[in-house]
Amino acid sequence: MSRMILALATLLSFTGCAAGVHELFETRKAYGLERATGAPGSWSAEAVVTLSEPLVQAALAQALEAALKDLPPLDVKLAKVTPQATLSSLALTDVAGCPQCVGFNGKLTGKAKVEAMGFTKTLPFTAALRGSLQISTRAADDAQGRAVFARLTKIDRLDFALDQSGGLGFSLEDTLESWGTDLARETPELSLGAFGGDDLPLRDLRVRSASGALLVELLTDAAHGGPLYAPPTPPAGGWAVAVSEATLLDHARRAAFEMGEISMEVWAEPTSLDLDGGEFSLGLRLWRLKGNGWWRDYTIRGDLSMVNQVLKLQPKEVQEGERSKGAALIDPLALLGESLILRAIEDAAAQSVPVGQSTSVGGLTLKAKVTQAQGIADALILSGDATVRAASEKQTGGGSS
């Protein structure tokens, strides 16, 4: 009788253990597959792209200079004036009452060809202007991403100073308003990049100015992501991206559960992510669901690197952690090689980088180049430089590299 009771107790203990592992797994799986929907009225960014003031200045300068080439001369009563100028200074400002606008104060310097009374003369000039850019977004090549554009909508103020030391004796005041309107109309649209995509779906996106730079703030569909503590500081004339570790972990965890069984009824669940300088540490729980079932924890450490401008996570070593009763030893590095876990982190990071997007005829496209990746303050930081191309030089692309 005692043997029967002992056998029954043993059977119940195994059954309870199996039910516990399987139930815990299903709870973790449901948690990992959750997606956030909708965007609250007020939200904290999970990823931020900072475009430096010199980069924005260079893009707007090219746009204004392209417009100046196509503008007709200023037609005053006694002369025609054809300006040729470059943008010598620029400062970004906020626009009251327009959250999707970015203001600027700039200065044009150059030379103007003056044709008057049968002669032609070239004179130096300066022009101070104040205007605003309207920010808009459209669907990117990847339907889950958004492409960001800026267009010069109006010039609020234009002060044109032409050196008339030769005593030409005419005024430009009457023609400046219409010339400023023409300048705004002819200035090509700027493509500021495409963000998000199938590997980093977005719930919302907003653009604002801060300390002379443009910030593109992203809210992803990570149900358990985390906000950034501060926007990244870009290199001079370049850009930088910061994505919170919690958000990258949430996307990696979802990708792991969506992938399903890796092999031999083993599932993988990323449980933690820490990025520090050029290294990473990934917590990984392996689940075996056959029979009674068990789980086993590991910590994977490795290096962050850039390969052909794409982030790569290279595992180097493994540390064993906690485990449930009856857990067997499995090589987690071999399973990582068969899973999408590290690739999910790499792809999500890639879709936060500004990538050149095709624009309308006459538009200008910003094309980013990634030069560095590192972990700083609970975030992955990618940074690099960028060039601005005219439509004839454009390269199409979605939100991934």
Side-chain angles (χ1 to χ4, degrees):
M1 184 70 175
S2 60
R3 290 182 179 179
M4 184 180 295
I5 293 174
L6 180 60
L8 180 59
T10 303
L11 177 61
L12 290 175
S13 68
F14 279 133
T15 304
C17 178
V21 169
H22 291 158
E23 289 174 1
L24 180 59
F25 170 79
E26 291 300 331
T27 299
R28 297 299 303 170
K29 180 182 176 184
Y31 177 87
L33 290 175
E34 287 178 354
R35 290 177 182 262
T37 58
S42 177
W43 50 268
S44 298
E46 298 171 346
V48 176
V49 184
T50 304
L51 305 178
S52 68
E53 186 174 18
L55 179 57
V56 177
Q57 180 181 17
L60 185 54
Q62 285 209 24
L64 288 171
E65 289 165 20
L68 285 169
K69 293 177 182 178
D70 296 330
L71 278 183
L74 284 80
D75 195 357
V76 297
K77 293 180 180 179
L78 299 176
K80 288 186 178 181
V81 180
T82 306
Q84 294 180 337
T86 58
L87 188 67
S88 58
S89 65
L90 173 72
L92 301 180
T93 62
D94 293 328
V95 178
C98 184
Q100 292 300 312
C101 297
V102 176
F104 67 90
N105 293 307
K107 183 178 180 180
L108 293 169
T109 58
K111 296 181 179 181
K113 183 173 72 172
V114 179
E115 300 172 90
M117 297 176 288
F119 71 90
T120 299
K121 190 171 185 178
T122 299
L123 299 174
F125 82 93
T126 59
L129 65 161
R130 183 181 66 205
S132 58
L133 300 167
Q134 179 75 42
I135 305 297
S136 63
T137 66
R138 305 170 200 159
D141 290 353
D142 188 326
Q144 297 292 328
R146 302 295 296 173
V148 181
F149 298 87
R151 176 173 287 281
L152 178 57
T153 54
K154 62 178 179 177
I155 294 180
D156 302 313
R157 180 178 177 183
L158 180 62
D159 298 321
F160 197 101
L162 181 65
D163 182 0
Q164 297 191 49
S165 56
L168 297 177
F170 59 79
S171 173
L172 300 172
E173 294 299 324
D174 294 338
T175 60
L176 283 183
E177 182 176 351
S178 61
W179 189 77
T181 301
D182 292 341
L183 179 61
R185 185 186 65 248
E186 295 296 332
T187 300
E189 185 176 55
L190 304 176
S191 171
L192 300 180
F195 308 91
D198 289 340
D199 298 309
L200 190 70
L202 301 181
R203 285 188 282 160
D204 205 356
L205 178 152
R206 65 190 176 210
V207 182
R208 64 184 178 91
S209 61
S211 302
L214 277 185
L215 303 184
V216 181
E217 300 178 322
L218 311 178
L219 180 67
T220 78
D221 72 344
H224 313 289
L228 290 169
Y229 295 106
T233 301
W239 57 271
V241 170
V243 188
S244 76
E245 290 175 348
T247 298
L248 291 172
L249 173 63
D250 204 57
H251 285 285
R253 182 168 44 223
R254 184 196 305 162
F257 281 117
E258 287 178 341
M259 179 184 180
E261 176 185 318
I262 300 175
S263 64
M264 300 174 58
E265 295 190 57
V266 174
W267 293 57
E269 177 195 4
T271 56
S272 65
L273 178 65
D274 181 54
L275 307 170
D276 186 9
E279 300 176 338
F280 76 90
S281 175
L282 177 72
L284 187 68
R285 173 167 290 189
L286 298 180
W287 297 85
R288 180 78 187 278
L289 301 182
K290 185 177 181 179
N292 293 333
W294 52 258
W295 55 262
R296 190 175 193 119
D297 289 339
Y298 296 90
T299 299
I300 315 295
R301 292 186 174 86
D303 297 330
L304 301 175
S305 62
M306 298 301 303
V307 179
N308 295 326
Q309 300 187 50
V310 176
L311 174 70
K312 293 296 179 183
L313 279 67
Q314 181 62 50
K316 295 292 186 182
E317 61 181 69
V318 178
Q319 179 180 340
E320 297 177 28
E322 298 295 323
R323 64 183 185 273
S324 67
K325 185 177 180 180
L329 192 63
I330 291 183
D331 182 3
L333 294 185
L335 290 179
L336 272 179
E338 299 176 30
S339 73
L340 299 175
I341 294 173
L342 297 182
R343 180 65 183 273
I345 297 173
E346 295 164 354
D347 289 346
Q351 291 195 335
S352 66
V353 173
V355 177
Q357 176 76 11
S358 58
T359 62
S360 57
V361 174
L364 298 173
T365 298
L366 180 148
K367 185 68 176 180
K369 179 180 179 181
V370 188
T371 58
Q372 188 176 35
Q374 56 185 328
I376 300 176
D378 297 330
L380 171 67
I381 309 294
L382 302 174
S383 59
D385 51 31
T387 55
V388 180
R389 293 187 173 94
S392 59
E393 303 174 283
K394 70 187 179 188
Q395 297 182 16
T396 59
S400 63
S401 299

